[in-house]
Amino acid sequence: MRDLIVGAMALLCLNAGAEAQEQAPSIDDYAALSNMSSVSISPDGERIAFISGESREERVVVVFNIDGSGSNVIDAGDDQVIVEVGWVSNDHLVATYSDRRSVGAINQRADVFRRLIVDADGSDSWELSIYASIANINPADDDHFLVWMPVVSDRRGSRALGNDVSAELGLFGQSVDRERSRDRIFVGADGFNYLLNADLEPRARYRRDDAEFELWSRYNSDGWELVYSERLEREDFRFRVRQSVRWTGIMTGMAGLDATGRYGYFASRGEAGDRLAAYRFDFETRQIEGPIVSSDLADVSSFLRDWRTNSIIGVRWDEEREKTVYFDPVFQGLQSQLDELFPRSNVNITDWDLEMRRVVIYVSGGSTPGAYYLLDRSSNALSLLAREYPNVPDAAMAPVEIVHYQGRDGVDLFGYLTLPIGREAHDLPFVILPHGGPQARDYSDYDSWRQFLASRGYAVFQPQFRGSDGFGNDFVEMGHGQWGQAMQHDVSDAVAYLADQGTIDPDRTCIFGWSYGGYAALAGATLTPELYRCVIAGAPVSDILQMMEYSEGRLGGGAEVYWAEYIGNYIQNRDEVEAVSPINHVDAIRAPIMLIHGTDDLIVPVEQAELMAEAMSAAGKPYEFVRIEDGPHQSYRMTVQNRVELFTALERFLLEHNPPD
């Protein structure tokens, strides 16, 4: 393959501000929404669609012709957030929106996602059924795309047919013009999930029947044949009247087929039952092969698909940094070239046209806050489409290092250390930034929160403490029942390690977190008060038992089993939970605390911050409370104004209580 030629593309005027600046970017620069996101190319390779806009109210879908002959804007309306956009034909898009509304008989507000099929010129749209799952574009039919829909079969009155009612999965050709114009292509058998081959025909199916997993195939015949089965192990977790059930085994599902239909790919923890790895099933030999891709650190489970054939072509996962392996040699060759071209960043091949003549590339992290490129494979020219955050230049990107350390009990841990530009990595003022979730994790791509703090002169560390997601089942379970205990120790041990290395000044250390990270900040202030000079708790859980009461009354209480498994049985072990609730240890606080909470937080209610504020007032402890009016919990729903308020409060509080100089 010829070397890629990097050039500048004059299609979009979205690159202002990309030159290096002497001063650090402003709060407004870090608070800005993505200039360009969810970029996709039409099947014929002639048009590109993406999301842009300076505020949530101004977010729109932009469609432009690559040859420069024209463009148009599709407005989403002020009351909803555009989440994603893609093509279902050469002239029609599917746009996913999120808005808040009252749901169910309990009439509680929640974020609801809707998908609209939109004419690319913006002239018309209609809402896709909530029961429809898009199977694939149909390259042979530009007027239809493929959807899976439940089909109810009523056989009552017919003993020969079973005398029952069942819900089966049906494949339909959905018209791009209106919702109810659907052509039935195939209806499956009860309880099966189906996989399409390169000709978009069902060629494999699987189901769990009681505790038995079954895989069936039509690889070598027109009839269905059982090609694999295994007995699954059932794991129950019960809490009061609710329970969660998990089935474990070598194979419990399948992600898709390769282009030949011979191999089916799936993720499995294997016999060890810990980290997920990529496996494949050979429908010819009827044998499992693998693991074909695995990691000693992280789960490997995100399969990559070629929309043209609906086939699996590779796998992507995150260790310390993002990793990509393609099974297809064309894609792997291109990925290798791109990795060499952007050696410090994560590089994703995100979309391509039917002929794979034009390819969209996304680069983030390392030396850039994010940029989209268009590759023309006929000329091998890679041209810049737009920078994602044009007012945060590459020169302002603080370097992010991977730091491995051990917990006090010997558990191997790591995290992301972001160092301020132009300062020696010695005795630095420090902010430790534990993530939310807690069953979540941080990544190596662009993170505006850590970059903002580093731009103000602070070293920032994001520990991947036990209980974090993506590092195997055992690592997640190590966090169960460990709020304020081993999970918190992992945060504290990171501070001690970086201090011992001489990187940070332990006397100039603060902690900031959001959601569970906000809890960890308050737990740091109350359970290890000697560690922190100041504490910033965003959307924090301060009273775990009160939080559980809220969760039990929220949307029917469906989350209480999850929390009982993660936190522990907070009904039977009430004393243990209270022992790690920050609100019960306010007297131990030494550092000034800032509480930040959005008033429209549906995940952790603002009352959690209010309770902590009341307790601190009663104890005469220094604090301030920043209410972000109408602020949500999730960062993706935050407005620019929400983010400006957050960053402004962070900067002011840190300068007052832990100045970087």
Side-chain angles (χ1 to χ4, degrees):
M1 183 180 289
R2 293 174 295 166
D3 290 339
L4 299 178
I5 304 169
V6 180
M9 175 168 273
L11 288 175
L12 298 176
C13 298
L14 298 176
N15 299 309
E19 298 301 322
Q21 303 171 194
E22 291 185 5
Q23 293 185 337
S26 69
I27 285 176
D28 288 342
D29 296 332
Y30 285 108
L33 300 180
S34 171
N35 183 48
M36 188 185 211
S37 64
S38 192
V39 181
S40 59
I41 192 166
S42 60
D44 60 12
E46 299 301 322
R47 288 188 283 187
I48 280 181
F50 64 95
I51 299 170
S52 189
E54 294 186 358
S55 68
R56 292 293 182 208
E57 294 76 20
E58 296 171 317
R59 297 297 269 181
V60 294
V61 175
V62 179
V63 181
F64 73 90
N65 298 331
I66 293 177
D67 63 9
S69 60
S71 63
N72 62 280
V73 171
I74 303 170
D75 194 352
D78 293 346
D79 60 341
Q80 49 193 358
V81 175
I82 308 177
V83 178
E84 188 177 20
V85 65
W87 296 86
V88 292
S89 76
N90 285 315
D91 297 304
H92 293 82
L93 300 159
V94 55
T96 303
Y97 298 94
S98 170
D99 63 301
R100 288 195 163 171
R101 62 174 73 170
S102 296
V103 297
I106 53 181
N107 201 35
Q108 291 181 332
R109 294 171 68 242
D111 295 329
V112 177
F113 293 88
R114 305 157 54 230
R115 288 169 300 162
L116 270 63
I117 306 301
V118 184
D119 286 19
D121 62 6
S123 60
D124 194 17
S125 66
W126 52 270
E127 187 169 349
L128 188 64
S129 169
I130 61 173
Y131 302 107
S133 172
I134 296 179
N136 211 65
I137 295 176
N138 189 351
D141 182 359
D142 200 45
D143 294 326
H144 295 81
F145 59 98
L146 301 178
V147 298
W148 292 107
M149 291 278 290
V151 177
V152 177
S153 295
D154 190 346
R155 295 179 287 266
R156 289 173 296 184
S158 173
R159 293 183 179 178
L161 296 177
N163 196 33
D164 62 0
V165 178
S166 63
E168 291 131 6
L169 201 58
L171 182 66
F172 294 82
Q174 171 67 61
S175 170
V176 295
D177 291 325
R178 60 184 185 276
E179 179 183 3
R180 296 189 179 277
S181 179
R182 287 191 291 265
D183 299 326
R184 182 180 295 186
I185 298 173
F186 167 84
V187 175
D190 188 19
F192 279 101
N193 292 295
Y194 288 82
L195 303 173
L196 305 179
N197 64 4
D199 295 322
L200 302 180
E201 300 169 339
R203 277 295 179 265
R205 68 183 188 183
Y206 62 90
R207 71 175 175 182
R208 180 183 57 78
D209 187 6
D210 292 328
E212 190 82 11
F213 176 81
E214 298 177 352
L215 178 65
W216 296 65
S217 171
R218 293 198 298 184
Y219 174 66
N220 287 321
S221 66
D222 291 332
W224 290 104
E225 297 180 293
L226 178 65
V227 294
Y228 175 84
S229 66
E230 70 169 290
R231 193 75 179 171
L232 303 180
E233 295 294 325
R234 174 172 172 151
E235 297 178 359
D236 291 352
F237 180 81
R238 297 178 181 273
F239 180 69
R240 300 203 290 191
V241 298
R242 297 181 183 274
Q243 69 173 341
S244 65
V245 177
R246 285 191 292 266
W247 296 94
T248 60
I250 303 300
M251 190 189 305
T252 58
M254 186 164 283
L257 309 176
D258 76 331
T260 69
R262 175 174 174 174
Y263 297 105
Y265 291 90
F266 63 99
S268 175
R269 302 190 188 279
E271 295 181 357
D274 186 17
R275 281 183 291 272
L276 289 167
Y279 290 75
R280 71 181 186 183
F281 182 83
D282 187 332
F283 286 101
E284 191 168 293
T285 64
R286 301 187 178 184
Q287 297 295 316
I288 291 175
E289 298 178 0
I292 55 174
V293 181
S294 61
S295 166
D296 292 333
L297 177 64
D299 291 325
V300 177
S301 59
S302 298
F303 289 97
L304 305 174
R305 189 181 306 272
D306 187 344
W307 67 267
R308 301 171 299 172
T309 58
N310 197 42
S311 57
I312 299 296
I313 56 172
V315 65
R316 179 176 293 133
W317 72 101
D318 283 274
E319 296 180 355
E320 298 102 329
R321 283 186 54 185
E322 187 178 82
K323 304 286 186 180
T324 301
V325 171
Y326 281 103
F327 312 135
D328 182 288
V330 173
F331 280 89
Q332 184 57 47
L334 177 56
Q335 182 71 41
S336 297
Q337 274 199 293
L338 292 166
D339 287 341
E340 291 180 7
L341 194 61
F342 303 99
R344 292 176 52 202
S345 301
N346 299 323
V347 185
N348 292 331
I349 303 169
T350 62
D351 202 13
W352 48 92
D353 62 19
L354 184 59
E355 303 299 327
M356 207 178 168
R357 179 170 55 99
R358 287 171 169 159
V359 181
V360 177
I361 312 294
Y362 177 60
V363 182
S364 178
S367 58
T368 179
Y372 284 93
Y373 293 83
L374 185 66
L375 170 65
D376 188 329
R377 295 185 69 235
S378 60
S379 61
N380 230 31
L382 185 66
S383 304
L384 178 67
L385 282 173
R387 298 183 186 275
E388 196 172 10
Y389 301 97
N391 291 326
V392 180
D394 292 353
M397 285 289 288
V400 180
E401 300 178 357
I402 308 300
V403 174
H404 288 266
Y405 68 104
Q406 281 192 332
R408 63 191 65 183
D409 57 355
V411 172
D412 291 327
L413 303 163
F414 86 96
Y416 299 97
L417 176 64
T418 306
L419 296 169
I421 295 173
R423 303 189 67 157
E424 182 184 357
H426 181 70
D427 280 344
L428 290 170
F430 180 52
V431 177
I432 192 163
L433 179 57
H435 62 70
Q439 193 172 333
R441 60 160 294 176
D442 297 301
Y443 298 90
S444 60
D445 54 5
Y446 176 68
D447 183 325
S448 62
W449 292 19
R450 70 183 175 207
Q451 287 292 328
F452 169 72
L453 291 169
S455 75
R456 270 49 188 170
Y458 300 95
V460 183
F461 189 69
Q462 295 164 290
Q464 306 311 291
F465 47 81
R466 70 193 72 197
S468 299
D469 201 19
F471 305 109
N473 190 57
D474 292 349
F475 196 71
V476 170
E477 291 186 349
M478 286 172 65
H480 288 181
Q482 294 300 315
W483 280 48
Q485 300 179 68
M487 292 167 71
Q488 194 70 27
H489 297 334
D490 293 345
V491 177
S492 303
D493 292 344
V495 176
Y497 177 80
L498 292 170
D500 288 343
Q501 297 297 305
T503 306
I504 67 164
D505 184 344
D507 294 328
R508 293 194 292 163
T509 292
C510 292
I511 184 170
F512 162 51
W514 193 269
S515 192
Y516 173 81
Y519 163 81
L522 292 181
T526 54
L527 303 180
T528 55
E530 71 283 356
L531 286 183
Y532 301 111
R533 181 168 175 170
C534 67
V535 174
I536 305 167
V541 175
S542 62
D543 187 328
I544 299 176
L545 292 177
Q546 285 278 58
M547 180 63 199
M548 292 304 98
E549 287 186 19
Y550 171 81
S551 180
E552 290 167 6
R554 172 86 179 140
L555 299 177
E560 68 176 5
V561 176
Y562 166 79
W563 288 121
E565 185 171 18
Y566 218 106
I567 295 173
N569 190 323
Y570 52 86
I571 301 299
Q572 293 182 2
N573 305 322
R574 190 179 184 92
D575 291 344
E576 295 178 12
V577 174
E578 288 186 335
V580 294
S581 286
I583 202 166
N584 297 322
H585 305 282
V586 170
D587 288 343
I589 293 174
R590 301 180 190 175
I593 289 180
M594 181 166 68
L595 304 167
I596 311 178
H597 216 128
T599 61
D600 196 27
D601 191 330
L602 303 182
I603 308 300
V604 179
V606 69
E607 287 77 13
Q608 283 288 313
E610 292 171 342
L611 289 170
M612 191 69 185
E614 292 171 4
M616 294 186 70
S617 292
K621 297 293 182 176
Y623 79 95
E624 64 174 285
F625 186 5
V626 177
R627 295 175 184 268
I628 300 179
E629 291 302 321
D630 299 322
H633 188 82
Q634 308 95 324
S635 59
Y636 86 91
R637 288 199 66 94
M638 286 184 178
T639 66
V640 172
Q641 183 58 37
N642 294 155
R643 292 161 65 87
V644 167
E645 290 181 44
L646 170 62
F647 289 153
T648 300
L650 282 175
E651 182 178 56
R652 175 183 51 75
F653 190 80
L654 285 170
L655 282 173
E656 179 181 353
H657 298 288
N658 191 21
D661 298 306

